[in-house]
Amino acid sequence: MGNTGGQEVLLTVENLTKEFLTTHGIIEAIKDVNLRIYKSELACVIGPSGCGKSTILSMIGGISKPTSGKILLEGKRLTGPSPDIGIVFQKYAAFPWMTVEQNVEYGPRMRGLSKSERRAITEKYVGLVNLKGYEHLYPKELSGGMSKRVDIARAYANNPRILLMDEPFGALDDLTKKKMQEELLKIWSLENKTIFFVTHDLEEAAFLADRVIIMGRNPNTIIKDVPVEFGRPRQAELRTKPEFVAFKKYLSEVMGNDTGENG
Ligand SMILES: Nc1ncnc2c1ncn2[C@@H]1O[C@H](COP(=O)(O)OP(=O)(O)O)[C@@H](O)[C@H]1O
Ligand SMILES: [Mg+2]
């Protein structure tokens, strides 16, 4: 089941620019980025290292402020961190002194939900990320993939309007990474939550996304927005199909053709 149907805009990024003043002068981390994220879609942003992917994500997440431009969530301006925005980073985020269960329950607890509501939410998301039976383990007792599942469960348990993911599987081995991608698609199809996913991995973007937004360097901005036509549900077999391989090649060509001299 694809979620491209409803073209209702959830998030709008308008003329977003971020400059950093460094000892070597001004760095334009992103320049004039415009994009729309539609409700329920899974949109991926790809681009070479340093093109500004994390910068965009951290500004949407309210972690850093734009130099100019604006970000709107359902038409309302976002100016800082918001409970409507959930984030999953590459780095493991669970509290080491809490069990899996306590980690997932943390957000709902902070939101002041009742014990029974918290329990229901925790049970649901621990189950959804396949950590049933591991509730009482501590982060140091978990594998990389399991730790990532905790991060995903925590993000979902907060019920944000949109989930931002910045190379969440970037530190995992290839096999685990692919498994996590397949699991993420399953959760996404069940939860109907908008995901804005940043990666430098073309294969990951092609496998996950409804739409791939491609960024280039110098200027660091969006160069192309490509719909992904593969049906859903997507299974591991898709990865070896000729049309998939061809699509990856196409993405790689678009990225490779960016000479950094446009605009
Ligand atoms: N805090 C910072 N200070 C100075 N330069 C930064 C800072 N954060 C990012 N940059 C620069 O901005 C550009 C974009 O970085 P980033 O968004 O991390 O790229 P990506 O996530 O695509 O690899 C890079 O040139 C990077 O060096
Ligand atoms: Mg990054």
Side-chain angles (χ1 to χ4, degrees):
M1 180 191 63
N3 281 334
T4 37
Q7 289 293 291
E8 207 178 325
V9 176
L10 180 67
L11 186 95
T12 313
V13 170
E14 286 178 10
N15 303 109
L16 206 64
T17 294
K18 176 70 173 180
E19 292 169 355
F20 289 104
L21 189 58
T22 73
T23 45
H24 305 288
I26 292 174
I27 291 180
E28 265 189 332
I30 54 163
K31 188 184 166 117
D32 248 331
V33 168
N34 286 282
L35 81 112
R36 283 177 175 169
I37 303 296
Y38 299 97
K39 228 174 225 171
S40 297
E41 78 170 332
L42 201 170
C44 281
V45 175
I46 58 170
S49 176
C51 74
K53 304 181 294 296
S54 295
T55 300
I56 295 179
L57 187 131
S58 74
M59 286 191 290
I60 297 173
I63 298 163
S64 79
K65 292 219 180 299
T67 303
S68 60
K70 54 188 173 183
I71 300 161
L72 305 155
L73 185 69
E74 295 189 305
K76 272 176 61 187
R77 188 127 180 215
L78 281 176
T79 52
S82 158
D84 291 328
I85 315 278
I87 313 184
V88 180
F89 294 104
Q90 178 173 321
K91 229 179 99 193
Y92 303 121
F95 296 126
W97 61 89
M98 288 185 192
T99 63
V100 166
E101 193 172 60
Q102 288 163 344
N103 264 292
V104 178
E105 198 188 353
Y106 177 79
R109 187 190 292 279
M110 289 300 109
R111 286 189 289 135
L113 299 188
S114 73
K115 197 166 179 184
S116 64
E117 287 172 305
R118 285 179 348 230
R119 187 166 296 164
I121 291 171
T122 305
E123 212 182 298
K124 176 182 173 187
Y125 290 109
V126 164
L128 214 55
V129 300
N130 289 329
L131 283 177
K132 227 171 173 42
Y134 301 97
E135 291 93 333
H136 304 298
L137 295 188
Y138 285 89
K140 68 166 190 287
E141 301 172 300
L142 305 174
S143 68
M146 290 163 90
S147 300
K148 231 48 239 178
R149 292 194 188 114
V150 175
D151 291 343
I152 292 170
R154 291 184 86 202
Y156 270 97
N158 283 322
N159 194 27
R161 303 299 316 275
I162 182 167
L163 270 170
L164 312 178
M165 302 197 174
D166 192 353
E167 316 227 14
F169 309 142
L172 303 175
D173 64 87
D174 194 54
L175 211 66
T176 308
K177 182 178 195 173
K178 290 191 162 106
K179 189 147 185 281
M180 292 299 299
Q181 291 165 1
E182 286 148 30
E183 286 188 19
L184 179 67
L185 282 188
K186 203 182 101 208
I187 297 166
W188 172 74
S189 74
L190 292 170
E191 288 290 296
N192 204 34
K193 179 92 60 200
T194 310
I195 298 180
F196 181 76
F197 192 108
V198 162
T199 181
H200 68 273
D201 181 338
L202 302 179
E203 149 122 22
E204 183 163 63
F207 187 72
L208 294 176
D210 290 319
R211 190 157 64 96
V212 178
I213 298 156
I214 305 172
M215 293 185 70
R217 296 216 57 172
N218 307 313
N220 287 357
T221 198
I222 294 169
I223 53 174
K224 211 167 180 98
D225 192 326
V226 188
V228 184
E229 312 284 3
F230 311 122
R232 297 193 189 267
R234 293 183 190 163
Q235 320 282 5
E237 298 84 76
L238 174 63
R239 299 182 194 274
T240 51
K241 294 215 164 120
E243 61 267 33
F244 186 78
V245 176
F247 186 64
K248 279 198 301 183
K249 184 159 174 270
Y250 168 74
L251 292 179
S252 144
E253 277 164 9
V254 174
M255 270 173 65
N257 286 342
D258 175 39
T259 57
E261 283 158 13
N262 53 332

